[in-house]
């Protein structure tokens, strides 16, 4: 099975994430997309993140009933901060029957050369890249596949700020995720 790994803090997961995952699964050779919830992104400040189990639960709620999607907490059990190459290696050892591809936005491709073991990721796994607003990236490598997708400019930061200000986030979040956030009084 060919699996696309969509890493993120998902703080919170939103409609933009789901649209990209759906495009990747539907318009490529990926059988499934796994949402890998990162407990701590090495490039993000930890204090801004909700607890990892709450973010995982929101992913589970967002993808409920979508059989091509999976929520994955593998990085919760790894040394922190976790690096993509370590997670890819672990998943490959645990699931040798699967072929893993990394799903990233064009904005991440710009800085991909700074990632730990970037060349190893390219050679052993490969990248499926979706466009991001304001980014025009040209990266010539046989293991990099550009996938046409709508330019989605929804940010979790905008959603958190909207909730904090008491504004509507309807249509930005799956309804079950919005209910979870409101019920837990997150971002208020």
């Amino acid at each position: 099975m060919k699996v696309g790994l969509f890493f993120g803090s998902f703080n919170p997961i939103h409609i933009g994430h789901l649209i990209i995952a759906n495009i990747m699964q539907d318009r490529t050779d990926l059988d499934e997309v796994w949402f890998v919830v990162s407990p701590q992104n090495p490039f993000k400040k930890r204090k801004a993140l909700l607890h990892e189990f709450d973010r995982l639960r929101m992913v589970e709620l967002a993808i409920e009933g979508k059989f091509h999607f999976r929520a994955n907490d593998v990085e919760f059990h790894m040394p922190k901060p976790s690096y993509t190459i370590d997670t890819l290696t672990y998943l490959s050892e645990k699931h040798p029957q699967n072929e893993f591809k990394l799903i990233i936005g064009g904005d991440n491709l710009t800085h991909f050369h700074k990632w730990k073991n970037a060349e190893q990721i390219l050679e052993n796994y490969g990248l499926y890249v979706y466009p991001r607003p304001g980014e025009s990236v040209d990266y010539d490598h046989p293991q990099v596949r550009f996938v046409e997708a709508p330019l989605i400019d929804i940010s979790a930061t905008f959603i958190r700020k909207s909730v904090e200000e008491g504004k509507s986030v309807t249509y930005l979040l799956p309804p079950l995720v919005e209910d979870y956030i409101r019920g837990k009084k997150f971002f208020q």
Side-chain angles (χ1 to χ4, degrees):
M1 183 166 63
K2 192 173 278 193
V3 177
L5 298 176
F6 195 178
F7 286 76
S9 55
F10 303 113
N11 190 44
I13 188 167
H14 54 69
I15 294 299
H17 296 126
L18 298 172
I19 291 169
I20 293 300
N22 189 64
I23 294 283
M24 288 293 177
Q25 190 281 315
D26 183 60
R27 299 187 183 186
T28 69
D29 54 353
L30 296 177
D31 299 300
E32 289 185 353
V33 172
W34 294 2
F35 292 83
V36 181
V37 180
S38 301
Q40 182 182 355
N41 180 321
F43 301 107
K44 290 189 179 180
K45 293 180 181 175
R46 179 142 181 94
K47 67 179 180 175
L49 294 177
L50 291 176
H51 192 279
E52 58 200 37
F53 293 113
D54 287 310
R55 292 181 288 113
L56 176 66
R57 181 65 186 136
M58 287 188 283
V59 170
E60 292 168 344
L61 290 168
I63 65 172
E64 198 170 274
K66 316 261 186 324
F67 66 95
H68 288 106
F69 294 163
R70 302 271 182 266
N72 189 291
D73 68 353
V74 65
E75 290 194 336
F76 295 9
H77 315 289
M78 298 178 72
K80 293 170 185 70
S82 46
Y83 292 93
T84 303
I85 186 60
D86 300 329
T87 306
L88 286 165
T89 302
Y90 177 83
L91 286 171
S92 295
E93 290 170 359
K94 188 171 181 188
H95 304 281
Q97 73 281 10
N98 292 342
E99 180 183 344
F100 293 103
K101 298 291 182 182
L102 184 60
I103 298 170
I104 67 170
D107 53 336
N108 285 321
L109 186 58
T110 303
H111 306 288
F112 182 73
H113 65 280
K114 295 180 183 177
W115 290 26
K116 180 180 177 188
N117 298 84
E119 279 302 317
Q120 186 181 352
I121 293 171
L122 276 176
E123 294 304 321
N124 295 329
Y125 302 98
L127 307 176
Y128 283 26
V129 181
Y130 60 91
R132 293 287 291 152
E135 294 288 332
S136 178
V137 180
D138 186 27
Y139 199 97
D140 187 25
H141 192 284
Q143 285 282 71
V144 175
R145 178 176 175 180
F146 291 91
V147 180
E148 184 179 356
L151 291 175
I152 309 233
D153 198 11
I154 300 172
S155 77
T157 303
F158 177 83
I159 292 168
R160 291 191 303 270
K161 186 172 189 261
S162 296
V163 171
E164 181 183 339
E165 294 172 351
K167 306 292 185 197
S168 172
V169 290
T170 302
Y171 306 118
L172 296 172
L173 297 171
L176 292 176
V177 173
E178 181 177 0
D179 292 346
Y180 188 81
I181 288 170
R182 300 252 187 238
K184 295 273 192 170
K185 300 188 184 325
F186 290 147
F187 314 125
Q188 294 180 10

